[in-house]
Amino acid sequence: MLSVRTKSNLTRLAKILTGPVFILILWQFVYELKIFDSSLFPKPIDAFRALWEMTSSGKILPDLRDTVLRMLAGFGLATIFGVALGLLLGSFTPMFESAEIVIDFFRSIPVTTLYPVFVLIYGIGDLSKIGMIFWASFFVITLNSAYGVIHSTKVRAGIVKLYGASPSQIFRWITFYDALPQTLIGLRVAISFSLIISILCEMFMGSKYGIGQLITDAFTTYQIDKLFALIIISGLLGYFFNRIFVFFEKKLVPWVGK
């Protein structure tokens, strides 16, 4: 007889695997129906064979390294400056009202349309790639950090103020933590943007190493199995960073949702 805990773990595992298994079955079903040319739409087993060949040989490691480093560099800079500016703007409502339309305007510009500008200014090296990642993340983080401060609870701040707390103490111990959940929402959105833009920049500008460069190479050399394998890797990479972020988010704001 299985224990209650074992049954619970098996049930949870079954729920986790149901979605991926369904997608693989659907993928195989679409392939068998010949809706797409088989030379353009590989079988799942062929894509995963290519995936295994790339990962087991270790040849993809330099490409993963460079893509992730560019992503983290742009995201890290956007976090430092975006959170700082957002908290500052949120603390001074008139300043935020003056800056909101400008920030929202720049946030709304698709960063891919700025590709020529970054190339003209910084060239096609890592600096322009990191700059585009920074741009895509900075305004999202800034707005969410500012909204977090603006919509923070005023009751607790008022109470501690009555007990003689200084503005800096109120901000440090009350406002900052009230704003943290909204700030983390902006960071989670931004980390996804960072990976997307990192791969796109490698595809547009080219690079010695990078997942985006491998995707371009696979496409231009008609290696369709490898192309689909790289798409899977990109998805797994995004999922990995999202789950890591969620883990730390729960540690930082354990009171949210309770």
Side-chain angles (χ1 to χ4, degrees):
M1 295 291 292
L2 296 175
S3 66
V4 175
R5 184 175 180 180
T6 302
K7 288 181 179 179
S8 176
N9 289 336
L10 289 174
T11 301
R12 185 169 180 271
L13 180 62
K15 290 178 179 178
I16 292 172
L17 293 177
T18 297
V21 170
F22 173 77
I23 293 298
L24 289 175
I25 292 172
L26 180 62
W27 183 351
Q28 182 67 37
F29 181 69
V30 172
Y31 176 83
E32 296 296 339
L33 287 177
K34 305 298 181 183
I35 296 174
F36 306 105
D37 189 328
S38 58
S39 64
L40 302 176
F41 189 79
K43 293 184 291 186
I45 188 66
D46 292 337
F48 280 95
R49 185 183 295 115
L51 175 64
W52 170 253
E53 290 173 357
M54 284 189 291
T55 53
S56 61
S57 65
K59 292 180 180 179
I60 200 172
L61 292 180
D63 300 282
L64 283 172
R65 177 201 63 206
D66 280 20
T67 295
V68 170
L69 286 177
R70 293 183 189 106
M71 164 195 164
L72 293 179
F75 175 74
L77 289 171
T79 298
I80 293 170
F81 292 103
V83 171
L85 180 59
L87 295 178
L88 176 64
L89 292 175
S91 300
F92 300 95
T93 305
M95 186 186 298
F96 174 77
E97 290 173 348
S98 299
E100 183 181 17
I101 189 171
V102 176
I103 294 173
D104 210 22
F105 169 77
F106 284 120
R107 181 188 65 84
S108 301
I109 298 175
V111 70
T112 48
T113 64
L114 297 174
Y115 159 71
V117 177
F118 279 93
V119 170
L120 287 172
I121 296 174
Y122 299 112
I124 59 173
D126 285 345
L127 193 59
S128 57
K129 296 179 179 70
I130 292 170
M132 287 182 68
I133 296 166
F134 172 85
W135 182 282
S137 303
F138 173 74
F139 298 105
V140 174
I141 295 172
T142 300
L143 278 178
N144 277 277
S145 299
Y147 288 151
V149 175
I150 291 169
H151 297 111
S152 61
T153 304
K154 302 298 186 289
V155 175
R156 287 195 294 271
I159 292 173
V160 297
K161 187 176 181 179
L162 290 174
Y163 283 93
S166 65
S168 62
Q169 289 175 321
I170 293 173
F171 179 84
R172 180 180 178 184
W173 298 111
I174 303 295
T175 306
F176 176 79
Y177 287 101
D178 276 351
L180 193 55
Q182 186 66 43
T183 300
L184 290 173
I185 289 173
L187 291 173
R188 196 204 286 194
V189 172
I191 201 168
S192 296
F193 282 176
S194 297
L195 177 60
I196 293 168
I197 300 304
S198 180
I199 293 175
L200 281 175
C201 285
E202 292 162 359
M203 293 173 68
F204 288 163
M205 301 180 192
S207 59
K208 184 177 181 181
Y209 295 111
I211 299 300
Q213 183 61 53
L214 287 181
I215 290 173
T216 299
D217 292 343
F219 172 71
T220 55
T221 57
Y222 209 63
Q223 299 179 72
I224 305 303
D225 296 349
K226 185 177 179 181
L227 175 62
F228 275 73
L230 289 166
I231 292 171
I232 293 171
I233 289 172
S234 300
L236 290 173
L237 195 59
Y239 178 79
F240 169 77
F241 277 106
N242 183 68
R243 298 317 301 171
I244 290 292
F245 193 90
V246 169
F247 173 80
F248 285 107
E249 185 177 14
K250 289 180 179 178
K251 297 293 183 181
L252 288 170
V253 287
W255 63 87
V256 174
K258 293 186 178 181

